[in-house]
Amino acid sequence: MKILHTSDWHIGKQLHKYDLSEDLDLFFAWLIAYIKTENIDVLLVSGDIFDQANPSQAAYKQYYDLLKNLISLDCKIILTGGNHDSPTVLNAPAELLKAFDISVTGGATEELTDMFVTVGKNNEKIVVATIPFLKDRDIRKSVAGETYATKIEQIKSGLRTYFSNVNAHYSKYYANEVFIVMGHLYVQGSELSESERDIQIGNQAGIEANMFGDTPHYVALGHIHKPQVISQVQNIHYCGSPIPLSFSEKEDRKQINVITVENNSISKVDLVPVPKHRNLVTFEGNLQEVAQKLNAYSEKTTLTSLAEIIVTEENESLERRQAFDALINSENNTNIEIVKSRLIFKSMVRGASDAFAVGTDVADVTPMQMFEKKLELQTNLENTADLKNAFREILEELKL
């Protein structure tokens, strides 16, 4: 039996207001062809199917068009919700999708048994714990007046208990079957990119890899966009997002993971590269240097290359601002589009916070950085640590 592990599609994603639906269309076409060619038996999607909790009509269409094409294949499909997803949105068509052999777990259920899926094909059988993104209420009970440190410890303890119960449920009802655990969360030590939202209050409650225990034969994780092996021995993997979702991912090699089950055990895990259809490039230097780099860029890809440019000049002047505007609005580069730009004058930022240099794009500053900067300006405050922790909790509730 062959199982394909992917995650973090983020349907509806825009990169600095540039629509990435074409990138996903090409990935989905490749994915369908790969499933056919390689006779994939099970498709696992570990969360963040959509980029927003309330997807656009275009995002819905892309999602359902994909499912329509997938149901024609002899492949079991298992989808779980991520922190970007709305459990209600994913679960709404779940009963209908069951008729097409598609299992959906948008949010944690009251009974663990409802999140266990068994699949039998080619004389092999696997058991999948379809654990979605776990919200605060899924893993602990809030107590009025609790401290931030107490909340973090309770979340960690709750996660440990939750996955221990998942393993216990497997051992009681499915012992000796190949066991795969899906999850959408931050595992401590993972490499992040700038496009991942903080999860469980600034990642401070991230789960340790050993919390999964020795019971699962493979742990199929989502949330982190950079593909990485958390534990080779325990087969704990992030497959990563299939397309770059931020400029910090421009050098990542995107992949899917293919797990082969033979003789009631996992015989191998193949890391399969996803074809690259678009370049994300960064050009840095002064106005002249950046202009030369843009003009010299000639690499051709299926889709237009997207660029961020960071121009640094010594002194501010109207002439330089006008030259910068002309550079980013130039139509001379037909195979590249500038979607992110920044102009910095050294003379104006000496001594200033790096996160708030002149010319900083608001999209590059996190809400937490904005709040911390505001606190810096209030010199009469003494309880800034408590205020920061309270603000983090607000961000978590708002999913910002």
Side-chain angles (χ1 to χ4, degrees):
M1 186 187 299
K2 288 185 178 181
I3 303 115
L4 192 156
H5 168 209
T6 179
S7 72
D8 295 272
W9 291 349
H10 287 271
I11 298 173
K13 172 71 175 178
Q14 292 185 338
L15 179 60
H16 300 280
K17 298 184 179 180
Y18 192 94
D19 185 8
L20 297 179
S21 60
E22 286 185 291
D23 306 64
L24 281 175
D25 277 337
L26 288 168
F27 165 67
F28 291 152
W30 175 84
L31 179 69
I32 290 167
Y34 186 90
I35 291 172
K36 287 181 180 177
T37 303
E38 298 298 322
N39 297 315
I40 299 298
D41 299 296
V42 184
L43 172 65
L44 307 178
V45 187
S46 298
D48 280 355
I49 292 166
F50 290 106
D51 190 60
Q52 300 291 335
N54 296 302
S56 66
Q57 290 301 309
Y60 275 125
K61 185 178 186 307
Q62 190 170 36
Y63 174 59
Y64 287 117
D65 282 347
L66 171 65
L67 294 185
K68 180 181 69 175
N69 290 322
L70 285 172
I71 61 178
S72 64
L73 309 175
D74 184 22
C75 180
K76 171 69 177 178
I77 301 164
I78 301 176
L79 310 169
T80 58
N83 58 304
H84 281 247
D85 296 310
S86 161
T88 303
V89 166
L90 287 184
N91 285 340
E95 289 302 314
L96 176 62
L97 293 176
K98 279 184 182 179
F100 300 101
D101 207 20
I102 299 175
S103 297
V104 180
T105 306
T109 60
E110 290 187 9
E111 300 295 332
L112 277 177
T113 188
D114 294 331
M115 290 185 285
F116 274 72
V117 176
T118 59
V119 184
K121 285 192 175 183
N122 304 325
N123 298 318
E124 300 288 350
K125 185 178 179 181
I126 65 169
V127 178
V128 183
T130 64
I131 309 303
F133 169 64
L134 298 172
K135 296 185 177 181
D136 197 358
R137 64 176 179 266
D138 298 323
I139 53 178
R140 74 182 195 99
K141 292 183 179 180
S142 300
V143 178
E146 65 186 355
T147 66
Y148 177 71
T150 299
K151 181 175 182 178
I152 290 296
E153 283 307 311
Q154 287 181 350
I155 290 173
K156 287 184 176 181
S157 176
L159 287 169
R160 281 193 292 266
T161 301
Y162 198 95
F163 283 99
S164 176
N165 290 339
V166 168
N167 290 341
H169 186 86
Y170 160 81
S171 298
K172 182 176 181 179
Y173 296 103
Y174 304 100
N176 302 319
E177 306 289 357
V178 173
F179 184 36
I180 295 176
V181 173
M182 299 174 71
H184 190 92
L185 71 170
Y186 170 72
V187 175
Q188 290 179 0
S190 310
E191 287 188 59
L192 301 170
S193 74
E194 68 187 25
S195 61
E196 287 121 4
R197 257 185 212 154
D198 280 356
I199 199 168
Q200 304 287 14
I201 314 179
N203 292 328
Q204 296 189 49
I207 195 170
E208 294 92 355
N210 61 13
M211 288 187 190
F212 293 110
D214 297 326
T215 306
H217 300 100
Y218 182 92
V219 180
L221 295 176
H223 177 56
I224 305 302
H225 297 167
K226 183 182 178 65
Q228 50 202 286
V229 181
I230 299 301
S231 171
Q232 194 81 50
V233 175
Q234 295 174 275
N235 269 334
I236 303 175
H237 290 255
Y238 283 107
C239 59
S241 59
I243 64 170
L245 300 170
S246 71
F247 282 98
S248 65
E249 299 172 38
K250 60 181 179 287
E251 300 298 334
D252 291 354
R253 188 194 78 160
K254 298 303 183 178
Q255 68 182 46
I256 56 169
N257 292 8
V258 178
I259 307 105
T260 301
V261 175
E262 294 179 303
N263 300 319
N264 200 39
S265 66
I266 291 177
S267 60
K268 62 178 179 175
V269 177
D270 293 316
L271 311 181
V272 182
V274 173
K276 186 177 182 180
H277 296 287
R278 188 196 301 276
N279 288 336
L280 301 186
V281 292
T282 300
F283 300 117
E284 297 184 67
N286 59 33
L287 277 165
Q288 183 179 4
E289 290 168 343
V290 171
Q292 289 174 345
K293 291 175 182 178
L294 278 169
N295 291 331
Y297 184 80
S298 60
E299 189 168 348
K300 296 284 187 180
T301 48
T302 309
L303 301 176
T304 302
S305 295
L306 302 182
E308 68 168 340
I309 66 171
I310 304 172
V311 173
T312 305
E313 291 284 339
E314 185 65 34
N315 299 306
E316 182 186 18
S317 72
L318 178 60
E319 179 184 6
R320 290 189 177 93
R321 287 191 179 277
Q322 290 174 334
F324 176 76
D325 290 339
L327 178 66
I328 63 175
N329 293 313
S330 173
E331 298 180 357
N332 294 333
N333 300 294
T334 57
N335 65 327
I336 193 168
E337 183 162 344
I338 299 170
V339 297
K340 181 181 178 183
S341 58
R342 186 175 176 187
L343 174 60
I344 302 170
F345 295 112
K346 292 181 181 178
S347 59
M348 296 183 66
V349 298
R350 291 191 180 98
S353 169
D354 289 341
F356 293 91
V358 174
T360 297
D361 190 329
V362 174
D364 294 334
V365 182
T366 67
M368 195 67 215
Q369 286 176 320
M370 293 284 284
F371 186 73
E372 289 174 341
K373 185 63 177 178
K374 182 66 176 177
L375 291 180
E376 288 177 17
L377 300 176
Q378 304 295 320
T379 56
N380 59 338
L381 294 178
E382 296 180 355
N383 59 335
T384 56
D386 291 337
L387 289 171
K388 289 178 183 179
N389 290 337
F391 191 70
R392 286 192 184 98
E393 294 190 35
I394 292 171
L395 293 178
E396 179 195 11
E397 291 298 322
L398 295 176
K399 293 186 177 181
L400 293 176

